[in-house]
Amino acid sequence: GPVDLDGPVELPSVVPLGKQALPPGVPLEILDDVAVEFSLGGSPLEAFSLTLPGGLPLTLEALENRQVINSKLYYGQVVRWNGMKR
């Protein structure tokens, strides 16, 4: 749990991520220039429980700024998809 401290605490400038710090499916590379909140603990010191600011879940959808347009399900077959043309 949280620890009350009386005064400043010195932390290293780089702290490694714990083995399960990132949710499944979220690649580390996508976190470049993304503000996150996390917990510190363990020996040696590791970061864990990464979230977006305000405690929002760290999901691939949130990191890619995806927005739900509608919740309709569509069935069929993709005949051709060109992800480069948008």
Side-chain angles (χ1 to χ4, degrees):
V3 177
D4 291 328
L5 302 171
D6 296 324
V9 174
E10 288 190 35
L11 294 171
S13 59
V14 176
V15 177
L17 291 176
K19 291 180 181 173
Q20 296 179 346
L22 292 176
V26 176
L28 182 60
E29 298 78 33
I30 203 167
L31 294 179
D32 287 348
D33 300 320
V34 173
V36 295
E37 296 176 352
F38 53 89
S39 299
L40 290 174
S43 180
L45 193 62
E46 291 183 331
F48 60 96
S49 300
L50 269 70
T51 64
L52 294 172
L56 297 171
L58 185 63
T59 63
L60 193 55
E61 291 82 6
L63 290 168
E64 292 178 341
N65 294 317
R66 296 185 197 174
Q67 296 178 356
V68 176
I69 303 297
N70 66 49
S71 58
K72 294 180 185 176
L73 294 176
Y74 295 95
Y75 298 93
Q77 182 178 10
V78 175
V79 177
R80 182 174 179 180
W81 170 255
N82 186 346
M84 299 300 291
K85 289 185 177 182
R86 292 183 183 216

